[in-house]
Amino acid sequence: MNRILMGTAWGVLVAAASLLVGSEAIAEQNEVALSNLQVSRASLENGLRVVMNQDHTVPTVAVSVYYDVGSRNEVKGRSGFAHLFEHMMFQGSANVGKGEHFSLIINRGGDANGTTSNDRTNYFETLPSNELALGLWLEADRMRSLSITQENFENQRTTVMEERRQRIDNQPYIPSMLRINELAYGDYWPYAHSTIGDMQDLIDAPLEAVQEFFHTFYTPNNAVLSISGDFNPEEAMQLVKTYFGEIPARETAAFVEPPPPVQDAERTETMYDANATLPAFHFAYHIPPDRTADHYALEILALVLGDGESSRLYQSLVKEKEICQDIAIGTDDRRGPDLFSAWAVMASGHAPKEAQDAIATEFAAIARKGVTERELEKAKNRIHAAFVFGLQSNMSRSQRLAEYELYWGDANLLKLELDHYLAVSAEDVRRVAGTYFEASRRTVLNVQPGTAPDSKEK
Amino acid sequence: MMTWHRFRIAVVGLCAVLLLAACSGAKGSGSAEPQSAKDANAEAQPERQSPPAPTEAKDMSLPPVQITELSNGLQVNTIVADQLPVVYATLVVRSGAESDPAKLPGLSGLVAQMLKEGTTKRSGAKVAEEIEFLGADLWASSDEENTYVGVRALTEQFDRAMGILAEVAGTPAFSAAELAKLKRRELDRLALSEREPSYIARRTFYRQLYGKHPYGTVDTNPQAVKRVRRQDLARWHREHFVGKNAFLVVAGDVDPARVAEAAQKTLGSWNAGKRAAPTYAEPPRPSDRQILVVDRPGSVQSVIYLGNLAIARANREWIPLVVANQVLGGSAASRLFMDLREKRSLTYGAYSAISGRVEIGPFVAYASVRTEVTNEALGAFFDHLEQINQEAAEPEELVNAKRYLSDSFPLKVDTPGKLSELVVELRTFGLPDDYWDGYRQAIRKTSASEAQYAARNYVRPKDAVVVIVGQAADFAQSLQQFGPVTVVSPDGELKAKFEDKRPKAGSSGAQRGPIQ
């Protein structure tokens, strides 16, 4: 009956249920969590990695292609390139006219899009299951033969500038989301600069640079193809070989990891936001990359502090003391050096300092006394439920599997992921709270409504 | 790593890793543009391959909705969808903003928010802790027609989650202290919203379009927030949260008999009451175009909304109008997107939509465009609206629109949460029980003339309401060529008026170039 969590996986659910009625933590019992998510992996001779995950619940199929290139791969002076390039991928290829990529999918009942982050670029479509060939053919055609013309390029460059105006420059607080990374990452360029890019860099970008970007990063050996949903694996593999098999491998530029960011003194800045009405602030602390042991504990810490209305800081700062209008706490989950962030909008009449002191006090309190057993259980129950909910749609499964294959080398690691969280002990949380939150590791960005006295634009 | 569902509204989400969607569009007709200056490494192919044809389509049937009724008249709808051990339960009270008292716009929304702030048994903090400890999520909200209380939980937590849902919905404390806190948060939220151009545009547009009709109010306002008392909340709750004015939808890995039992246990004690019968003020029926510019100095973009009153959701012309709208602006393959974004690069996206309402619903087209092309963009909107109003869509456009709408249906039903939404839609708008079973067929059967007839009646650029939020000094006067222009400040103060300078006689777009 259950196609995703069968057999032993049910054991996890039952175990978690017992957790809810107050028994002991059960982390050790979950080593086989999610082991029945059906995942098969293969790779073609040209290096394309393929992940397949069958689920016949509804007659749809999701296709994702993840390229190992994000804004972290951009060089100085070419910020925004990965994202601009993502737009170009919808502008046609050898057998697909300008703009047809989208219309072919939409007009056959599908949905498609692409996104760019620091760490990767992805393209994805969900189609009725009898249209799997169309999705694969389209992805292969643009991987092999993208049309990079001056006209397409001009058009998409202008569109991206509109995107920046609409989603960033014209919105309250959003510019600060870019500035905090510049400040916190400092000389660590891969994450310091924004994915949307600098307007001037977009204006200066030459067509040749786009072509070079394609040749450097859009190769089968730099990509993962992931298929989830209602399909026959043998037939799908045959299609994959037919469409992708002949695309030649090329040398790609490996990501050169600069030395990790070093910070030994607190950084503070105040910026002005003409669209804002209330003061706000960011805190950012340096922490290790995603999927390291301490990162799991830090995620749990973030949940205890800021996830849901019953979290410590939401209850105390928003509800009880009414210092903040809203607060969000979280890890950013990057492949490389990560940040633990707090973001709060103050309630009217309150200054950021009040909330900043309260947050620092809370870190110190947890470092001293730890979190309660119930808080830890609640966080794990939330993670567990989110995991199950996250498996619901073909698209979310195909994306998460592709990401695990690309970042960590094996999609199957997703099946064991829950165990890493459930293994976090109260002591782990107490220890990380005492390790990463010294003021000297912190960057503070205060946001003031209005315009700066000396009007330093950012 | 995990994507956390946060059901409370964050002022701004924490988006340190900014994901940027391409959401690029495409040509409807599939014509090949000449591909000059092609990438040297992509060898020019003399002949283009055709995209692969689909294999045989699989049919799919929706799981049945099992209906029972509690003794107090509350209807329970259950859908078994057991691929994962999850369950979604939504309690729908059939009164929303349409039942707000005239002096307290947004009261229904405030009631919804206060439900989570404590019950007669325990505090809001306690409620949140209990539900979150289950790994479940609880939310409460309202819209034009309904007020909702929902949970999503793992199946083994269903009974407990249902108990909390019913406690929250049935026995709210409406504590004065919590209300004072909510009021303060609401005032801050509203002040911030005033700075968001799309919020101002939406609010102004619906006010213009609907006048005193309740659909004209998209949010509460500071006066109402300051005025509201706990008795107002309690009275509204008492009147509307009754068995005959509510229904429950449960979808997921559940047994219908057990759902009925749980519903009886938790909601069976509600008063039966009676079905609410809201009164609707007549919306304005403009006979000419009106252009309202809300001045927002410093804006780098203009937010454009234009549209007119169209039809109720249950109207039998809904489906032909959906098809016509799909041709015009329903997706990134539609005319508006293809022209305003892909061809002219005026915007990141341009769309149109019709919204389902119990009473007469709106047709609306919208985009955010950079300030200096505001005039060109509005002209393009009028041209496209005029074209869909006057001419039948090309056969291929129609085929594509219908294929998208019918064949994408399985994508809309792939989780229990989405199945629940379909049932809520049936009950809210009084659609027949087998409506969704026949939906795809009804789309496929729509003829060119039916779609055109719907567009002619319900997409009306000549008497459209236009609202543009942006830096008025740069474009307001030039909009005279489209009709009379009024410029106001965000709080409604009149700043300027420009008289109608449309070309007399003849059609409005005569001197502009042809559109594609």
Side-chain angles (χ1 to χ4, degrees):
Chain A
M1 189 150 59
N2 185 295
R3 293 180 185 84
I4 295 156
L5 293 171
M6 287 181 300
T8 47
W10 283 100
V12 181
L13 303 173
V14 174
S18 65
L19 211 164
L20 295 170
V21 292
S23 62
E24 299 299 315
I26 41 85
E28 330 60 69
Q29 302 171 20
N30 288 285
E31 280 163 25
V32 287
L34 307 177
S35 62
N36 283 346
L37 185 68
Q38 293 183 15
V39 178
S40 62
R41 304 165 59 230
S43 55
L44 303 189
E45 276 176 29
N46 60 14
L48 179 70
R49 287 153 284 174
V50 184
V51 181
M52 297 203 208
N53 158 238
Q54 278 187 86
D55 181 313
H56 301 284
T57 307
V58 285
T60 70
V61 63
V63 175
S64 300
V65 180
Y66 276 57
Y67 289 93
D68 198 350
V69 57
S71 54
R72 72 172 189 167
N73 301 81
E74 293 162 352
V75 296
K76 284 185 185 164
R78 293 275 177 271
S79 69
F81 237 71
H83 170 243
L84 178 57
F85 194 85
E86 175 218 309
H87 279 248
M88 293 296 292
M89 285 284 278
F90 292 91
Q91 294 301 310
S93 46
N95 296 298
V96 181
K98 176 174 158 55
E100 272 182 29
H101 187 98
F102 247 88
S103 62
L104 277 167
I105 287 170
I106 290 175
N107 294 334
R108 294 208 197 170
D111 279 337
N113 216 333
T115 71
T116 309
S117 76
N118 292 158
D119 289 329
R120 50 91 194 126
T121 309
N122 68 1
Y123 302 88
F124 46 89
E125 43 272 330
T126 306
L127 289 153
S129 52
N130 63 325
E131 297 282 9
L132 174 62
L134 175 69
L136 296 174
W137 181 83
L138 283 167
E139 290 297 353
D141 207 56
R142 63 182 172 182
M143 185 185 286
R144 178 177 47 237
S145 61
L146 193 67
S147 286
I148 301 169
T149 67
Q150 191 69 42
E151 185 202 353
N152 290 350
F153 182 53
E154 291 304 335
N155 176 290
Q156 288 312 303
R157 174 156 59 187
T158 313
T159 299
V160 168
M161 290 182 195
E162 280 320 299
E163 180 178 356
R164 185 180 164 115
R165 289 187 184 98
Q166 179 176 332
R167 299 176 60 176
I168 295 171
D169 299 336
N170 219 23
Q171 302 296 333
Y173 302 117
I174 303 294
S176 76
M177 309 275 167
L178 274 50
R179 182 62 188 150
I180 183 64
N181 288 324
E182 289 175 356
L183 270 182
Y185 280 110
D187 294 335
Y188 192 82
W189 163 258
Y191 292 158
H193 76 282
S194 73
T195 302
I196 189 87
D198 191 90
M199 275 287 195
Q200 195 56 49
D201 284 356
L202 293 174
I203 291 166
D204 293 343
L207 185 66
E208 305 75 63
V210 184
Q211 280 159 343
E212 192 190 315
F213 200 85
F214 181 71
H215 285 291
T216 310
F217 296 111
Y218 280 72
T219 68
N221 42 310
N222 203 38
V224 169
L225 166 68
S226 168
I227 308 170
S228 283
D230 179 32
F231 63 95
N232 173 307
E234 287 79 36
E235 289 169 19
M237 199 59 205
Q238 201 47 55
L239 289 170
V240 169
K241 285 180 181 157
T242 305
Y243 296 138
F244 291 89
E246 302 300 311
I247 304 174
R250 279 196 303 275
E251 202 173 315
T252 63
F255 174 63
V256 183
E257 169 112 43
V262 181
Q263 185 174 346
D264 40 30
E266 184 177 29
R267 295 175 194 152
T268 308
E269 186 175 290
T270 297
M271 69 180 283
Y272 291 82
D273 185 334
N275 291 322
T277 50
L278 296 162
F281 71 90
H282 295 264
F283 261 5
Y285 295 88
H286 293 282
I287 58 169
D290 197 8
R291 291 194 82 251
T292 53
D294 277 5
H295 201 280
Y296 292 108
L298 286 159
E299 287 179 59
I300 300 255
L301 174 64
L303 296 187
V304 169
L305 289 173
D307 173 61
E309 293 181 14
S310 68
S311 61
R312 283 194 185 193
L313 289 172
Y314 186 82
Q315 270 303 317
S316 77
L317 300 185
V318 177
K319 287 303 193 54
E320 285 164 26
K321 297 181 189 146
E322 301 182 86
I323 294 171
C324 295
Q325 173 73 356
D326 202 356
I327 186 162
I329 310 285
T331 53
D332 295 347
D333 304 341
R334 292 181 176 87
R335 297 167 82 173
D338 201 20
L339 296 176
F340 188 106
S341 308
W343 156 247
V345 177
M346 304 310 297
S348 49
H350 292 272
K353 183 84 169 58
E354 296 174 66
Q356 289 167 356
D357 290 346
I359 293 171
T361 305
E362 203 61 60
F363 282 128
I366 292 179
R368 216 170 43 247
K369 290 192 277 190
V371 295
T372 67
E373 273 306 316
R374 188 160 165 105
E375 282 177 313
L376 183 65
E377 286 182 22
K378 182 178 71 171
K380 291 180 178 180
N381 292 343
R382 300 276 290 168
I383 288 168
H384 177 204
F387 238 95
V388 178
F389 286 112
L391 295 174
Q392 289 191 98
S393 79
N394 290 330
M395 182 48 72
S396 67
R397 264 180 283 110
S398 89
Q399 293 193 342
R400 298 189 73 191
L401 291 167
E403 185 179 297
Y404 271 69
E405 184 69 34
L406 185 76
Y407 288 2
W408 316 112
D410 185 351
N412 278 306
L413 290 171
L414 177 64
K415 298 180 190 175
L416 299 170
E417 197 62 0
L418 186 54
D419 294 343
H420 291 296
Y421 291 96
L422 298 181
V424 172
S425 68
E427 174 53 26
D428 294 331
V429 179
R430 194 197 60 74
R431 181 178 49 76
V432 296
T435 306
Y436 295 100
F437 299 98
E438 289 157 34
S440 62
R441 301 176 64 94
R442 177 170 76 196
T443 302
V444 184
L445 175 61
N446 292 308
V447 185
Q448 285 296 332
T451 45
D454 59 340
S455 169
K456 180 177 169 286
E457 285 281 329
K458 185 56 231 174
Chain B
M1 183 142 313
M2 318 279 313
T3 305
W4 299 108
H5 256 268
R6 290 161 56 98
F7 283 94
R8 67 185 161 88
I9 298 162
V11 175
V12 176
L14 190 71
C15 62
V17 181
L18 190 64
L19 297 182
L20 299 158
C23 194
S24 184
K27 189 171 293 296
S29 64
S31 67
E33 301 242 327
Q35 305 200 349
S36 58
K38 182 165 272 187
D39 174 4
N41 258 42
E43 289 182 22
Q45 311 241 338
E47 229 172 275
R48 275 174 49 176
Q49 285 174 23
S50 300
T55 55
E56 196 181 333
K58 285 192 189 175
D59 204 10
M60 69 163 269
S61 49
L62 291 169
V65 184
Q66 317 233 14
I67 305 165
T68 55
E69 204 169 288
L70 306 184
S71 49
N72 60 13
L74 192 144
Q75 187 193 55
V76 180
N77 301 268
T78 308
I79 306 163
V80 178
D82 54 9
Q83 63 270 24
L84 279 172
V86 301
V87 58
Y88 289 73
T90 313
L91 177 71
V92 182
V93 173
R94 312 182 67 126
S95 299
E98 103 289 29
S99 302
D100 289 343
K103 287 200 154 175
L104 293 171
L107 178 64
S108 52
L110 295 170
V111 167
Q113 291 193 69
M114 278 299 288
L115 295 178
K116 291 179 72 183
E117 300 302 337
T119 69
T120 52
K121 273 198 264 175
R122 53 189 150 180
S123 69
K126 209 74 185 107
V127 168
E129 206 279 338
E130 300 230 355
I131 199 83
E132 287 167 12
F133 187 77
L134 300 180
D137 289 294
L138 169 75
W139 67 93
S141 65
S142 74
D143 61 18
E144 288 81 2
E145 329 279 6
N146 295 323
T147 301
Y148 308 88
V149 187
V151 289
R152 132 188 138 153
L154 297 179
T155 294
E156 69 259 48
Q157 305 303 344
F158 174 65
D159 285 335
R160 267 183 269 201
M162 192 61 213
I164 295 173
L165 181 156
E167 181 187 331
V168 161
T171 57
F174 293 127
S175 125
E178 290 295 342
L179 179 60
K181 292 186 175 193
L182 177 68
K183 284 180 166 204
R184 195 203 48 70
R185 290 199 301 274
E186 281 291 282
L187 291 173
D188 277 354
R189 178 184 68 79
L190 289 167
L192 182 58
S193 299
E194 290 296 333
R195 300 299 178 94
E196 289 167 17
S198 55
Y199 176 89
I200 300 170
R202 246 169 53 81
R203 185 187 60 190
T204 312
F205 175 76
Y206 284 99
R207 171 62 63 217
Q208 290 295 108
L209 191 64
Y210 279 100
K212 290 196 180 337
H213 188 285
Y215 297 165
T217 306
V218 301
D219 197 357
T220 185
N221 61 42
Q223 296 73 30
V225 170
K226 287 177 193 154
R227 194 182 293 140
V228 71
R229 301 157 307 164
R230 66 177 301 276
Q231 303 91 286
D232 301 314
L233 301 168
R235 184 183 312 121
W236 199 90
H237 177 266
R238 202 163 49 237
E239 265 173 42
H240 297 100
F241 281 57
V242 293
K244 286 185 179 162
N245 197 43
F247 61 93
L248 178 71
V249 180
V250 178
D253 179 19
V254 288
D255 166 22
R258 274 200 56 202
V259 169
E261 205 177 296
Q264 181 62 43
K265 202 171 124 200
T266 55
L267 299 166
S269 58
W270 280 25
N271 289 333
K274 60 179 194 308
R275 173 85 182 265
T279 51
Y280 298 93
E282 266 303 299
R285 302 279 174 176
S287 56
D288 193 11
R289 204 178 269 177
Q290 5 163 346
I291 300 168
L292 186 66
V293 175
V294 182
D295 189 24
R296 187 173 178 270
S299 256
V300 293
Q301 281 190 322
S302 298
V303 182
I304 301 176
Y305 270 67
L306 72 161
N308 51 261
L309 298 176
I311 49 175
R313 178 64 181 84
N315 189 308
R316 49 181 293 284
E317 286 187 273
W318 177 264
I319 284 178
L321 187 56
V322 166
V323 172
N325 182 67
Q326 179 63 24
V327 172
L328 173 66
S331 77
S334 304
R335 290 177 183 175
L336 289 174
F337 192 97
M338 287 310 305
D339 186 35
L340 273 76
R341 167 163 156 164
E342 293 297 286
K343 187 159 161 245
R344 305 203 210 185
S345 303
L346 306 178
T347 178
Y348 178 53
Y351 300 94
S352 64
I354 47 172
S355 301
R357 298 275 191 275
V358 170
E359 275 240 312
I360 190 163
F363 160 79
V364 53
Y366 56 96
S368 293
V369 306
R370 65 180 180 282
T371 304
E372 58 271 29
V373 298
T374 306
N375 187 302
E376 181 185 351
L378 185 60
F381 268 118
F382 279 130
D383 289 344
H384 286 289
L385 268 55
E386 202 63 55
Q387 188 182 350
I388 198 91
N389 173 283
Q390 295 288 322
E391 300 163 26
E394 295 296 324
E396 191 177 354
E397 287 183 303
L398 199 69
V399 165
N400 286 336
K402 285 158 56 171
R403 192 156 165 196
Y404 170 74
L405 292 166
S406 58
D407 291 4
S408 67
F409 191 70
L411 276 62
K412 295 185 171 66
V413 298
D414 63 356
T415 63
K418 292 187 194 172
L419 287 168
S420 307
E421 286 167 22
L422 293 186
V423 178
V424 171
E425 208 174 330
L426 287 186
R427 302 292 174 249
T428 298
F429 302 116
L431 303 172
D433 279 355
D434 63 354
Y435 182 84
W436 295 117
D437 300 308
Y439 178 75
R440 284 175 295 167
Q441 204 45 44
I443 293 279
R444 291 181 185 125
K445 271 180 13 203
T446 303
S447 69
S449 59
E450 286 169 321
Q452 191 196 348
Y453 187 78
R456 176 163 302 168
N457 284 328
Y458 305 120
V459 177
R460 298 187 305 269
K462 290 201 171 55
D463 57 19
V465 167
V466 181
V467 169
I468 302 180
V469 179
Q471 182 154 294
D474 289 357
F475 59 81
Q477 187 160 10
S478 74
L479 302 180
Q480 285 178 298
Q481 63 168 299
F482 303 113
V485 179
T486 305
V487 183
V488 297
S489 69
D491 44 24
E493 187 195 339
L494 179 67
K495 299 185 84 171
K497 268 179 181 280
F498 302 105
E499 65 185 44
D500 187 357
K501 284 201 177 160
R502 268 174 292 188
K504 296 280 186 281
S507 75
S508 61
Q511 76 278 41
R512 281 187 299 278
I515 59 170
Q516 195 170 347

